[in-house]
Amino acid sequence: MIQGKLVRLRSISRADLERQLEFNNSLEVELAGGGDPPTPQSLERLQADYDLESAKGGRDGPSFAIEADGKFIGQCALFNFNQVAQTSEIGITIGDKSYWGRGFGREAIRLLIDYAFVQRNVRKLWLHVHGRNLRAQRAYSACGFVEEGRLRAHVWSDGDYDDLIIMGLLADEWKSTKAESPKP
Ligand SMILES: CC(C)(COP(=O)(O)OP(=O)(O)OC[C@H]1O[C@@H](n2cnc3c(N)ncnc32)[C@H](O)[C@@H]1OP(=O)(O)O)[C@@H](O)C(=O)NCCC(=O)NCCS
């Protein structure tokens, strides 16, 4: 649906679930993504969740498979819309570790930012990221996000406490960045 130079953002299909299962059961990927402590997941449960959602029919929400080199490599999404303040949270996980640190995530984030501001008229995007997740912070900063707050020693992750950083990006800031640089 949305084509970049390195990645394509498209609908998540049932055929993606086997790769998604590998990502969900990878301790490294789960810890990098933050959130709840990692727990195992079976293919049956993953498929059951998918089937429940698709049985509702209609359209997918603003959540995308990330495809690169013809392979499903992860997911990204907008969630927690606040219609009054016109804000939305943004999230991404590249589950295929061989694609980390090569600019694929950064491009997917840029495409999703553009979709949020241009297609959905979001005014501000924000996110949480763990203090030790420097790779993600650098990728977000490169896309224009700035640190807006830091909750010190706020989360427990992989045997230690970590800071929880809030980052944000305003639509106006994105528009001025885009005016200075080529399309994402
Ligand atoms: C976070 C994520 C989307 C970033 O995408 P990516 O394609 O890996 O990132 P990019 O290659 O665009 O940029 C990574 C940046 O981190 C740097 N980097 C790479 N590995 C690093 C490491 N181990 N430690 C610190 N920085 C690192 C790169 O040099 C680059 O920064 P620079 O351009 O300023 O030099 C992706 O790594 C991912 O999905 N990781 C697992 C899940 C996750 O962390 N999700 C985010 C939760 S908030």
Side-chain angles (χ1 to χ4, degrees), residues 15 26 40 61 64-65 67 69 73-74 91 98 102 113 116 124 127 136 138 143 145 153 162 166 170 174 177:
S26 158
F64 298 89
E67 187 181 292
D69 303 325
I73 64 162
S98 68
R102 296 166 54 199
I113 292 172
K124 180 181 180 181
L127 59 92
R138 288 179 76 127
C143 297
F145 280 89
D162 199 358
I166 318 275
L170 294 162
W174 174 249
T177 318

Side-chain angles (χ1 to χ4, degrees), residues 32 92 94 100-106 128 133 135-136 138 140:
I92 179 165
I94 301 234
W100 285 0
R102 296 166 54 199
F104 287 79
R106 181 174 312 196
H128 297 109
N133 193 349
R135 185 190 296 113
R138 288 179 76 127
Y140 292 135

Side-chain angles (χ1 to χ4, degrees), residues 137-154:
Q137 288 164 49
R138 288 179 76 127
Y140 292 135
S141 298
C143 297
F145 280 89
V146 294
E147 184 174 323
E148 296 190 342
R150 179 180 286 255
L151 304 177
R152 293 170 305 147
H154 193 75

Side-chain angles (χ1 to χ4, degrees), residues 19-145:
R19 292 262 292 163
Q20 184 63 50
L21 188 75
E22 277 177 45
F23 307 156
N24 290 0
N25 284 307
S26 158
L27 209 56
E28 208 180 341
V29 173
E30 282 289 284
L31 286 169
D36 294 332
T39 50
Q41 188 178 38
S42 67
L43 184 59
E44 290 75 13
R45 278 185 190 264
L46 190 60
Q47 287 174 336
D49 282 347
Y50 181 88
D51 293 341
L52 205 65
E53 259 319 296
S54 30
K56 292 179 190 161
R59 296 218 166 207
D60 297 352
S63 98
F64 298 89
I66 306 171
E67 187 181 292
D69 303 325
K71 282 183 294 190
F72 169 70
I73 64 162
Q75 294 194 30
C76 60
L78 302 174
F79 53 100
N80 283 344
F81 282 98
N82 183 314
Q83 291 190 342
V84 177
Q86 285 176 253
T87 60
S88 169
E89 211 169 331
I90 186 169
I92 179 165
T93 300
I94 301 234
D96 185 331
K97 289 180 281 177
S98 68
Y99 284 89
W100 285 0
R102 296 166 54 199
F104 287 79
R106 181 174 312 196
E107 189 186 71
I109 296 165
R110 286 201 172 117
L111 294 171
L112 189 58
I113 292 172
D114 211 56
Y115 170 77
F117 289 148
V118 176
Q119 305 301 338
R120 304 191 75 100
N121 199 24
V122 172
R123 186 187 55 86
K124 180 181 180 181
L125 288 167
W126 66 285
L127 59 92
H128 297 109
V129 57
H130 286 186
R132 289 197 293 271
N133 193 349
L134 298 178
R135 185 190 296 113
Q137 288 164 49
R138 288 179 76 127
Y140 292 135
S141 298
C143 297
F145 280 89

